[in-house]
Amino acid sequence: MQGSMQDWDLRVTQLIDYAAREHGTREIVTRWADGSIERSNWAGVADEARKLSQAFNGFGLEKGDRIATFAMNHHRHLAAWYGAIGFGGVIHTVNIRLFDEDLIYIMNHAEDKVLMYDAAFQPVIERLKPHLKTVEHYIIFDDAESYGALIAAQDGHYEWATGDERDPCMLCYTSGTTGNPKGVLYQHRSTMLHAMAEIAPAIFDLSPQAALLPIVPMFHAASWGLPFAGAAAGVKFVFSATNEAPILHRLILDEGITHSAGVPTVWLSMFGHLDAESAAGRDASLGKLRLVTIGGSAAPRGMIERLMKSGVRVSHAWGMTETSPIGTMGAPTPNWDELTLDEQIDVVCKQGRVPFGVELRVIDKDGNVAPRDGVTSGALQIRGPWVIKRYFKADADTVDAEQWFDTGDVSVLHPDGTMQITDRVKDVIKSGGEWISSVELENIAVGCPGIAEAGAIGIPHPKWDERPVLIAVKKPGADIDEAAVKAYLAERIVKWWMPDRVLFVDELPHTGTGKIQKVALRQQFKDLVLEG
Ligand code: ADP
């Protein structure tokens, strides 16, 4: 026997339909890089999305085809998400901060048919074009002859594609660990469940009263799902195509921003700006801002403290591209109101609890499920309907038989279920919310004449959360110094991968199988202090 309720597949197009129907006049604002402000609303974005779907359909694209975007945050980018999904396709948001090599790999691997980009990226796109094997259409968002003409040519009489809720709708690559970047292919169903969970008070606390400024880019982990959850809640969105603190601060004040979300780094520059504003006798307040969600890297205590002392609640989130990305969220505890501010800050410094929808466990060093005792640390695993099962085009699942996905993070679980990240086993460095592969850095560094072996580790940094430091062993008799190694690297890596320091040692610690023992190396250099 089956239940006798209506049988609706959960489809992402229901989100944009809902937002347009019930919150059609709620504003969607874009502050473009040239300083101009453009105002649309949910009805306008839905109309553009429908016309884009119609255009993609006219291109002869088929269900499941991938539409790539290479763009900053703005309302046309939002329309592109829904437009790509609306005809049955998959929106693939490409991280603009990757190297050419990775970008080419990713777009060919994804077999993107359309590439939509901001005019500012024209030089990059020109470089990539000869190598992109599957892209048939290039569309420039901020060009009246390109995106503008495409929209103008559609009459908007188009019905969204229907289908199964397990159809794919979005593709995000993660390039954290070694090897090629890996794609995570979200479903309509996983995205909808995640969006519905996200609006809850204990997660993003979204409602039609919220004015949300997502600082997290639309090309990072599905922008934490906010473009979907924002539609489900009917929020006012404010997008900024650039992320400088003075611009964001202006928007917070002028647009009545109540909610914001992003990696820690951005708040440090904001504090610097606020101090300067205050010294100059200008408005250094945060206006109506009441909830800031910080994630992607550990939020430093000082940052949480400063925001909370200015009356803004901070929610500390943990997640991964593989988890849609919400894994945990630091909502207030039941006894919140009885805690002192200092105790509340203690709570927020940890990574929070799982929402309904996902499960967590920690596996200790002997392979057993660790007790939730706040001390036993181990491998953090997660499972649930918005957690990855298998990477895009991989030939095997990336989870065990019980669907547990190993995150590569090390953590403890406290008795109340609060999760606290304590370390990372995956060999990567996260700087300003972006990954640096330590293995790749090491491989390049050992090509430097005079270097026998090198290990790259992440060292805490006041501005970037972590910065790479290279620990090297010289070849016998080699005459080489820090400056020479840096000069060698400068020609081979992008600027922001440059180790803050190159230090020399007589030998590196090794595991039994001859690999560099990163945990030991990190321990050895734990007192190293990097300047901001
Ligand atoms: P995102 O783009 O959301 O940062 P990634 O998949 O690139 O997602 O990175 C996920 C990884 O970032 C996690 O496995 C963890 O190592 C780190 N991370 C994310 N949030 C936090 C946090 N709040 N505290 C500490 N580390 C975090």
Side-chain angles (χ1 to χ4, degrees), residues 98-125:
L98 300 180
F99 306 154
D100 287 10
E101 232 174 81
D102 280 345
L103 293 171
I104 293 165
Y105 172 83
I106 285 173
M107 289 193 249
N108 285 334
H109 187 264
E111 298 174 66
D112 296 322
K113 290 278 173 62
V114 179
L115 175 55
M116 306 177 77
Y117 62 97
D118 293 345
F121 297 124
Q122 190 67 40
V124 191
I125 303 299

Side-chain angles (χ1 to χ4, degrees), residues 221 224 296-298 316-321 351 409 424 426 430 435:
W224 299 356
S297 287
H316 188 180
W318 166 87
M320 307 174 70
T321 303
Q351 277 77 2
D409 287 317
R424 201 186 281 151
K426 46 195 174 194
K430 204 167 202 191
W435 290 118

Side-chain angles (χ1 to χ4, degrees), residues 214-261:
I215 303 175
V216 52
M218 294 177 85
F219 54 78
H220 255 183
S223 204
W224 299 356
L226 292 169
F228 301 120
V235 303
K236 165 180 171 175
F237 259 127
V238 178
F239 294 113
S240 181
T242 53
N243 273 346
E244 290 89 10
I247 293 170
L248 298 177
H249 184 222
R250 204 57 273 148
L251 288 173
I252 289 171
L253 295 178
D254 293 353
E255 299 294 336
I257 298 301
T258 56
H259 292 60
S260 188

